[in-house]
């Protein structure tokens, strides 16, 4: 089991705990998806589904730390530690490129959580030898598009309704590091420095 952990705070002062998604997180992930607003669920999955099919859920928790990286942000103030945000990168076959996906509960928008999660997946991708990320997004999802542009994402494909953004991981990490008001991102960078120094990469 991958036992890496990062403790940090959001702009609001709320404490969160970041760790890799585990196979036993199925119920936690299912509840998190159900707690998204209809709009946020549609933006993340391009579907209005509220209950995730078991086959999809199995793929979401099948994290191996090499070809499928995923981190969950858990709210330390709640007794059951609900997942309030998840970011993942799924490697494309035989490539140093991965598909990126991110979602946060609506109550955690504008708290810095999305940038913290992007810093986390960016560091993990760099360690895993993934140098390019691609994310599909609905053209109407202006918040995601704005975030992607700030992080160096460039639109490489658009059919009107859907857009694909590409990120150079090294550039994205540099841009995140240079941002004003690092808040919880500073804790992410410090944690990955510790992981590199003291902990072997554990997959599974």
């Amino acid at each position: 089991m991958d036992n890496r952990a990062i403790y940090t705070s959001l702009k609001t002062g709320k404490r969160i705990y970041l760790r890799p998604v585990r196979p036993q997180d199925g119920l936690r992930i299912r509840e998190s998806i159900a707690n998204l607003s209809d709009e946020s669920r549609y933006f993340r999955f391009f579907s209005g589904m509220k209950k995730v099919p078991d086959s999809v859920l199995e793929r979401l928790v099948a994290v191996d730390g090499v070809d499928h990286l995923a981190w969950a942000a858990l709210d330390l103030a709640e007794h059951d530690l609900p997942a309030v945000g998840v970011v993942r990168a799924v490697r494309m076959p035989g490539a140093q490129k991965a598909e990126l996906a991110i979602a946060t509960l609506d109550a955690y928008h504008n708290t810095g959580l999305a940038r913290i999660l992007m810093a986390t997946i960016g560091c993990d991708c760099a360690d895993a030898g993934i140098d390019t990320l691609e994310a599909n997004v609905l053209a109407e999802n202006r918040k995601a598009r704005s975030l992607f542009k700030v992080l160096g994402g460039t639109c490489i494909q658009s059919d009107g309704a859907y857009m694909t953004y590409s990120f150079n991981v090294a550039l994205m990490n540099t841009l995140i590091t240079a941002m004003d008001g690092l808040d919880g991102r500073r804790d992410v960078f410090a944690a990955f420095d510790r992981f590199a120094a003291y902990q072997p990469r554990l997959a599974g």
Side-chain angles (χ1 to χ4, degrees), residues 172-194:
M172 183 179 79
N173 290 346
T174 297
L175 291 173
I176 294 174
T177 302
M179 287 178 179
D180 292 334
L182 278 177
D183 51 73
R185 288 163 283 157
R186 190 185 307 276
D187 295 325
V188 171
F189 301 134
F192 273 89
D193 286 342
R194 293 196 304 273

Side-chain angles (χ1 to χ4, degrees), residues 58-151:
E58 288 173 5
R59 292 198 297 271
L60 293 178
V61 298
V63 176
D64 61 14
V66 178
D67 294 325
H68 185 175
L69 318 178
W71 287 73
L74 311 182
D75 188 341
L76 287 170
E78 301 294 331
H79 74 279
D80 55 347
L81 298 178
V84 298
V86 175
V87 66
R88 70 182 65 248
V90 180
R91 193 189 300 265
M92 299 177 188
Q96 292 177 301
K97 181 187 298 186
E99 183 176 353
L100 168 74
I102 181 172
T104 63
L105 295 187
D106 295 66
Y108 294 80
H109 291 181
N110 303 313
T111 65
L113 178 57
R115 296 190 186 201
I116 289 172
L117 287 169
M118 290 296 288
T120 304
I121 203 67
C123 289
D124 208 18
C125 283
D127 289 348
I130 294 171
D131 57 28
T132 304
L133 290 170
E134 288 188 0
N136 296 315
V137 63
L138 289 166
E140 61 189 290
N141 190 351
R142 292 185 174 84
K143 285 185 178 180
R145 290 170 53 198
S146 177
L147 174 66
F148 290 168
K149 289 177 183 177
V150 168
L151 298 181

Side-chain angles (χ1 to χ4, degrees), residues 2-35:
D2 189 335
N3 292 314
R4 291 175 296 169
I6 306 169
Y7 293 87
T8 189
S9 299
L10 303 178
K11 292 178 181 178
T12 58
K14 183 179 285 291
R15 295 287 293 169
I16 61 168
Y17 163 46
L18 300 160
R19 64 158 174 77
V21 169
R22 300 168 181 168
Q24 60 268 36
D25 283 329
L27 179 59
R28 178 178 276 116
I29 299 298
R30 187 189 295 278
E31 290 178 346
S32 178
I33 292 171
N35 288 330

Side-chain angles (χ1 to χ4, degrees), residues 151-164:
L151 298 181
T154 56
C155 181
I156 59 172
Q157 184 175 346
S158 175
D159 66 1
Y162 299 93
M163 305 174 75
T164 300

